[in-house]
Amino acid sequence: MTNQHLFLDIHAIQTLPPSNINRDDTGSPKTAQYGGVRRARVSSQSWKKAMREYFHKNSAQSNVGVRTLEIVRYIADKIKSYDSSKEDSEAMELAEKVLNEAKVKTKDQRAKALFFLGNTQAEQLAQAAVNGEKDKKQLQEILRDKPAVDIALFGRMVADDPSLNEDASSQVAHAISTHAVQTEFDFYTAVDDLAPEDNAGAGMLGTLEFNSSTLYRYANVAVHELLRQLNNKETVINTLRLFIEAFSNSIPTGKVNSYANQTLPQAIVVNLRTDRPVNLVSAFEEPVKTSNGNVSSSIKKLFNELRKVEKFVNEPEYTFYLTMEDGDNLDVDGVNEENLKTLLEHFTEVTNNLIPAEVGE
Amino acid sequence: MKTLLLKFSGPLQSWGTSSHFETRETDRYPSKSAVIGMVAASLGYRRHEDKKIQELNDLDFGVRIDQAGESLRDYHIARKYKNNGDIERTYVTDRYYLEDAIFIVAIGHEDEQFVEKIEQGLKEPYFQPFMGRRSLPLSADFFIESSKKDVVESLQQLPWQAAKWYKKTSTNQLTAYVDSDLVLGEPTQMRQDRAKSFSQKNRSFGFRGEAQIKIEIQDKKLDKKGFLNEHDAFDALGG
């Protein structure tokens, strides 16, 4: 990929009912001023945490690696696929040995702490075990060389050992509402069920703060850098698919039991660009004002902005979008997808042709 | 001489030059070292490439405050876990941001090819550029123009880039901070803002001199006192 950059941009419009998914030390929902008015805000850290949790839960089935105590079993299965003559117990022993030689501690054929192993790392370790590789340095290199996919995507900071720091290949922006909001206070009382009948007071009283918002959310991935980090095309594509899925389906859990604000985006746009990542928050600098709900106007504004920014940047290589609006009314070049599943299938086809098999020099 | 004019705008920005540990401050306007970091990232320089990064200090630098923005404290926690998954401790790391601000940044150099390389890098970056923190992407219209004028002249001549609502509440005399060797006899302050190393192991910054200048913006819609000439009552109501 000589000088060939590829950026994945993902935008979403998502509405939240009264809720407080991301709050400060005083319990107020986070906000930011933009375009001269106050907006609801969900910090990037908050949504990234939700996305990482989605990764941990779904990475195995998406074949991007696993976070598990059962790393011995994971490698043993790979050993058996390389050498079908191996008995199960023999493969388990071999797997444990190769891990121990790479200085990963195990106890009763399990890791001592949750361990993230990428698919490529596991395959290389299994291969090394079958070949009888004993060089400690080489085995450790397999573990160190290619960071786990979530670390490659979201970065890692280890204060005690900066050499383990990894710069993230993704960028997740703070989500802000497309319109002005005011935080409201919900006064509540809780009645004491066993209080005497002539008792007029409540058992306790308090307030909860909340607001409702239609959010603009944005994230991107420098695909060329992710490929350099992971150095495996298939893993990169699976990781990007999972990233899109996690961006779309995750939600921070703050106060979710109080408000049940389990929504999904009303619109997603995925762009692949070879020039630069493009954030479309400027569409909402002038806040949406409507007496008829904010979602529809927000979606229209987002798509208009997509066209407007072409004064400054190139047209995207590919655009996939998914919306609850009638897609035909939106003036966009791109594939109007039926659902997230077909979007991901098309995305896989396209990236398979766009991403080179190996990192160029 | 070639100068690039960039617009930094968006909901949030953060330009810390003296933050350490749990409190992450922001200055009131962008730092040169942050812009150098942005250029270096765009060109695909890696953190340990000190020599290539230090060369970027040679750029002439100036920043004009077009829309001052408000300060925002963001409550933020980070958890450290023990190996067995238990929480070891929780750090409260307050982060400060500027919200709703607009700045014009000018970077220039005698060597036009050097500036053209940077322009190309910014338009087609390797790493994603951001405004002080990774979560604060640049806007789509951040690149204004490249000119043959020097940094100070470019900042003096560019029209005011603030939002309409802001212009009404502010005078059209803008403040700019430029490298102190670009102007003579202006008040100068030292700022710990000379990029030496962005390495994870040894980030370090030296000092650079910065002079404050005032710029009168000629904006047809404003009279001498900085008020709008046109009276628009409906606009004032937000209609």
Side-chain angles (χ1 to χ4, degrees):
Chain A
M1 200 179 261
T2 314
N3 279 335
Q4 181 74 63
H5 300 173
L6 185 66
F7 289 99
L8 166 81
D9 272 337
I10 177 160
H11 314 265
I13 296 293
Q14 179 164 4
T15 194
L16 290 174
S19 57
N20 187 354
I21 61 175
N22 184 213
R23 54 197 189 272
D24 67 14
D25 45 341
T26 65
S28 308
K30 288 188 174 182
T31 62
Q33 184 186 309
Y34 188 44
V37 300
R38 187 100 337 240
R39 314 292 182 109
R41 173 170 66 94
V42 183
S43 73
S44 64
Q45 300 89 2
S46 168
W47 219 300
K48 267 190 290 192
K49 181 165 190 287
M51 286 174 75
R52 290 184 88 137
E53 269 162 20
Y54 192 94
F55 257 78
H56 297 171
K57 279 188 199 134
N58 297 285
S59 56
Q61 73 207 46
S62 295
N63 198 26
V64 295
V66 285
R67 180 177 301 267
T68 178
L69 291 170
E70 306 292 343
I71 46 174
V72 179
R73 161 64 40 212
Y74 189 54
I75 291 173
D77 287 346
K78 305 233 178 237
I79 290 175
K80 284 201 298 189
S81 74
Y82 283 124
D83 185 350
S84 51
S85 70
K86 290 255 186 316
E87 293 279 322
D88 193 63
S89 59
E90 200 184 342
M92 286 292 277
E93 260 169 49
L94 209 52
E96 188 169 26
K97 216 170 113 204
V98 81
L99 281 165
N100 292 344
E101 268 160 11
K103 291 275 176 210
V104 179
K105 287 186 186 138
T106 53
K107 197 184 168 190
D108 304 332
Q109 301 199 321
R110 295 173 93 215
K112 281 187 150 179
L114 279 180
F115 199 90
F116 194 106
L117 207 55
N119 199 31
T120 320
Q121 289 175 321
E123 273 169 12
Q124 286 181 359
L125 276 180
Q127 194 97 59
V130 172
N131 297 342
E133 177 66 62
K134 288 218 164 54
D135 184 18
K136 188 177 81 187
K137 252 191 168 171
Q138 206 139 10
L139 292 174
Q140 278 186 309
E141 217 152 83
I142 294 176
L143 289 178
R144 195 180 309 136
D145 223 24
K146 297 179 192 66
V149 288
D150 64 333
I151 289 170
L153 266 179
F154 298 108
R156 170 169 62 189
M157 207 200 83
V158 183
D160 303 337
D161 183 1
S163 73
L164 290 175
N165 287 1
E166 181 79 25
D167 278 308
S169 56
S170 81
Q171 181 179 39
V172 180
H174 292 243
I176 65 157
S177 66
T178 62
H179 52 92
V181 298
Q182 266 185 317
T183 297
E184 298 189 46
F185 295 83
D186 180 26
F187 173 74
Y188 68 88
T189 60
V191 181
D192 186 338
D193 285 344
L194 296 181
E197 262 181 40
D198 59 353
N199 183 329
M204 81 166 279
L205 42 86
T207 51
L208 284 178
E209 289 180 59
F210 67 93
N211 56 33
S212 35
S213 55
T214 296
L215 297 172
Y216 167 67
R217 300 173 48 212
Y218 169 73
N220 66 42
V221 181
V223 180
H224 47 281
E225 173 65 6
L226 185 66
L227 180 64
R228 194 199 61 83
Q229 287 169 313
L230 303 174
N231 206 6
N232 180 293
K233 179 176 167 175
E234 203 194 324
T235 312
V236 166
I237 294 174
N238 287 338
T239 303
L240 293 174
R241 281 176 60 125
L242 189 55
F243 185 80
I244 295 170
E245 227 186 285
F247 183 85
S248 159
N249 294 350
S250 67
I251 191 159
T253 52
K255 289 264 178 216
V256 74
N257 288 341
S258 304
Y259 293 103
N261 48 266
Q262 305 275 17
T263 61
L264 290 166
Q266 274 77 16
I268 306 180
V269 184
V270 175
N271 283 324
L272 287 165
R273 295 180 178 274
T274 51
D275 53 349
R276 57 183 307 257
V278 180
N279 167 26
L280 299 174
V281 72
S282 47
F284 308 107
E285 206 262 346
E286 189 187 323
V288 170
K289 286 177 201 153
T290 167
S291 51
N292 212 5
N294 295 312
V295 174
S296 227
S297 320
S298 300
I299 293 175
K300 284 198 187 90
K301 272 197 150 189
L302 178 71
F303 280 96
N304 282 343
E305 193 75 0
L306 199 55
R307 244 177 319 114
K308 275 200 234 161
V309 296
E310 277 169 26
K311 286 180 191 166
F312 303 100
V313 295
N314 297 343
E315 225 178 289
E317 297 291 302
Y318 287 93
T319 299
F320 311 90
Y321 65 96
L322 187 60
T323 161
M324 61 166 226
E325 292 285 292
D326 185 356
D328 301 336
N329 291 338
L330 299 162
D331 181 17
V332 226
D333 289 330
V335 191
N336 184 3
E337 302 284 355
E338 193 81 359
N339 53 43
L340 190 60
K341 196 168 158 260
T342 57
L343 187 151
L344 292 174
E345 276 164 18
H346 286 150
F347 178 82
T348 307
E349 270 168 46
V350 165
T351 43
N352 214 353
N353 295 327
L354 274 183
I355 301 175
E358 272 174 23
V359 185
E361 281 310 315
Chain B
M1 191 72 210
K2 197 171 162 92
T3 297
L4 305 178
L5 282 167
L6 311 175
K7 179 173 141 185
F8 292 173
S9 65
L12 300 171
Q13 321 189 16
S14 186
W15 307 102
T17 51
S18 60
S19 321
H20 296 286
F21 313 113
E22 272 95 2
T23 305
R24 318 301 287 192
E25 307 276 0
T26 178
D27 298 352
R28 298 308 305 235
Y29 54 91
S31 59
K32 183 173 180 177
S33 54
V35 174
I36 284 175
M38 183 188 284
V39 169
S42 298
L43 292 170
Y45 295 177
R46 299 209 167 253
R47 287 184 179 278
H48 60 83
E49 296 181 286
D50 291 352
K51 226 179 136 203
K52 283 160 93 176
I53 290 163
Q54 282 166 11
E55 275 169 20
L56 297 170
N57 283 312
D58 294 343
L59 288 164
D60 292 343
F61 176 83
V63 50
R64 192 178 82 186
I65 301 171
D66 279 41
Q67 186 169 311
E70 309 269 341
S71 173
L72 174 77
R73 181 181 72 102
D74 188 39
Y75 173 73
H76 178 273
I77 58 166
R79 291 214 168 99
K80 188 175 179 185
Y81 292 91
K82 290 180 191 161
N83 259 350
N84 63 9
D86 292 347
I87 294 170
E88 187 175 321
R89 65 166 286 198
T90 300
Y91 298 85
V92 174
T93 68
D94 283 329
R95 279 141 203 245
Y96 287 82
Y97 294 89
L98 289 175
E99 46 182 8
D100 222 355
I102 298 175
F103 302 104
I104 301 306
V105 164
I107 43 180
H109 200 274
E110 289 295 340
D111 181 351
E112 297 193 358
Q113 274 185 333
F114 183 42
V115 179
E116 273 155 24
K117 186 177 118 182
I118 291 169
E119 178 176 347
Q120 181 60 25
L122 286 167
K123 285 180 172 168
E124 297 192 355
Y126 181 88
F127 294 108
Q128 303 95 325
F130 52 83
M131 298 187 289
R133 289 209 180 98
R134 177 172 282 276
S135 54
L136 316 175
L138 281 172
S139 61
D141 61 349
F142 81 97
F143 190 88
I144 299 176
E145 61 183 23
S146 70
S147 79
K148 293 269 178 195
K149 295 171 210 126
D150 66 24
V151 160
V152 175
E153 215 179 324
S154 300
L155 288 178
Q156 280 166 339
Q157 286 174 7
L158 186 78
W160 195 3
Q161 302 291 311
K164 206 168 142 199
W165 62 267
Y166 183 85
K167 286 182 182 174
K168 285 187 266 186
T169 64
S170 178
T171 71
N172 60 336
Q173 192 194 49
L174 304 181
T175 305
Y177 294 89
V178 300
D179 283 337
S180 56
D181 56 340
L182 301 180
V183 285
L184 290 173
E186 298 293 340
T188 297
Q189 60 183 3
M190 296 305 279
R191 196 172 177 201
Q192 193 168 11
D193 188 25
R194 188 179 165 81
K196 281 173 153 174
S197 174
F198 293 134
S199 152
Q200 295 276 23
K201 285 175 200 158
N202 184 31
R203 277 174 162 237
S204 59
F205 301 90
F207 284 87
R208 60 176 270 268
E210 197 173 68
Q212 192 196 87
I213 56 171
K214 295 285 179 191
I215 296 171
E216 288 289 334
I217 295 292
Q218 304 305 323
D219 196 314
K220 277 181 204 157
K221 279 193 173 167
L222 300 170
D223 65 20
K224 278 177 196 159
K225 286 177 184 159
F227 293 116
L228 274 181
N229 285 332
E230 303 150 87
H231 176 72
D232 186 347
F234 288 105
D235 194 56
L237 290 169

